[in-house]
Amino acid sequence: MTAICLVRHGETDWNAAKRIQGRTDIPLNHTGKWQAEQTGLYLKDFHWDVIISSPLSRAKETAHFILKHVHAPLVLMDDFIERDYGVAEGMSFEERQKLYPDKQYPNMEPLEAMQDRMLDGIHKVRAAYPNQNVLIVAHGAAIHSLLTALADEHMDLHDTRLVNACLNYVEWKDHKWMVHDVNVVTHLPQSAPF
């Protein structure tokens, strides 16, 4: 059985401002660093064989905060990078609503392509780390697309918005992926202490 915990990166200034990030490389803000630290403190009580991260700095920074508490090698994988939102990257929610109310942004990575990339990535992880416990630090839309692809028909994730630094658990068992928990934030106090 391969067990995977998918961690969404901590908050960035663009997250706080509701600007769409995509592949734009935005670092964690003060709250995001605190969230990543809290995540590491929580995850230290479990055994992890490897941490895999998207190459974007907000994911890598989150992984490095976790690594202060979890002793495992870090591997970067392009498969887990965020969706490319094309011309919409950097736009506020209001700008996107006005210009693209249908959410069809020019030059955006197709949903199916992102989902296929994420599925390919998780199958590579299972092949490389069979029967191990794996942390994957990635991005909201990318993780959501993967969970949607893996979830059974009884789990409706369509309107689920993944919170920064949330934990999502999946495992490979009986020759299939099973989604156990989504959007877990019990390791984060209600608000940052600042």
Side-chain angles (χ1 to χ4, degrees):
M1 176 184 78
T2 302
I4 295 178
C5 176
L6 296 149
V7 182
R8 186 182 178 199
H9 62 78
E11 185 184 84
T12 69
D13 285 342
W14 279 21
N15 288 143
K18 297 188 175 11
R19 292 191 177 278
I20 200 163
Q21 290 176 120
R23 302 276 174 90
T24 306
D25 205 5
I26 306 298
L28 296 179
N29 64 17
H30 193 55
T31 298
K33 291 174 182 177
W34 175 82
Q35 291 169 331
E37 178 74 17
Q38 296 302 307
T39 303
L41 285 167
Y42 174 77
L43 292 172
K44 74 178 174 54
D45 293 331
F46 305 92
H47 172 76
W48 303 102
D49 295 292
V50 65
I51 300 177
I52 296 170
S53 175
S54 153
L56 293 178
S57 62
R58 58 193 184 266
K60 284 192 304 187
E61 277 186 86
T62 300
H64 282 288
F65 273 97
I66 293 169
L67 280 167
K68 289 168 48 180
H69 306 283
V70 172
H71 303 291
L74 175 64
V75 176
L76 300 181
M77 282 183 67
D78 289 342
D79 304 76
F80 300 111
I81 200 167
E82 181 59 297
R83 186 179 194 178
D84 186 335
Y85 283 98
V87 301
E89 294 200 12
M91 288 185 182
S92 68
F93 177 76
E94 293 77 16
E95 290 169 325
R96 297 190 312 270
Q97 286 291 98
K98 181 180 176 184
L99 294 171
Y100 307 105
D102 61 356
K103 298 182 180 179
Q104 297 306 305
Y105 312 127
N107 304 318
M108 177 172 63
E109 179 184 18
L111 178 62
E112 299 77 21
M114 174 177 60
Q115 211 161 46
D116 288 347
R117 171 170 56 78
M118 292 293 290
L119 286 167
D120 188 47
I122 201 171
H123 289 302
K124 287 179 191 173
V125 167
R126 183 176 64 84
Y129 306 99
N131 301 311
Q132 295 187 45
N133 296 321
V134 180
L135 282 172
I136 298 176
V137 184
H139 308 269
I143 294 172
H144 187 273
S145 74
L146 178 61
L147 293 172
T148 302
L150 299 179
D152 66 27
E153 65 276 5
H154 304 295
M155 187 178 283
D156 182 12
L157 300 174
H158 181 71
D159 294 323
T160 302
R161 184 190 165 282
L162 298 180
V163 177
N164 286 106
C166 71
L167 308 176
N168 307 273
Y169 296 93
V170 300
E171 69 176 345
W172 178 260
K173 189 174 181 182
D174 300 326
H175 307 290
K176 65 179 181 179
W177 287 108
M178 297 169 54
V179 178
H180 289 295
D181 293 297
V182 173
N183 219 11
V184 176
V185 291
T186 51
H187 60 290
L188 299 174
Q190 291 293 81
S191 61
F194 39 81

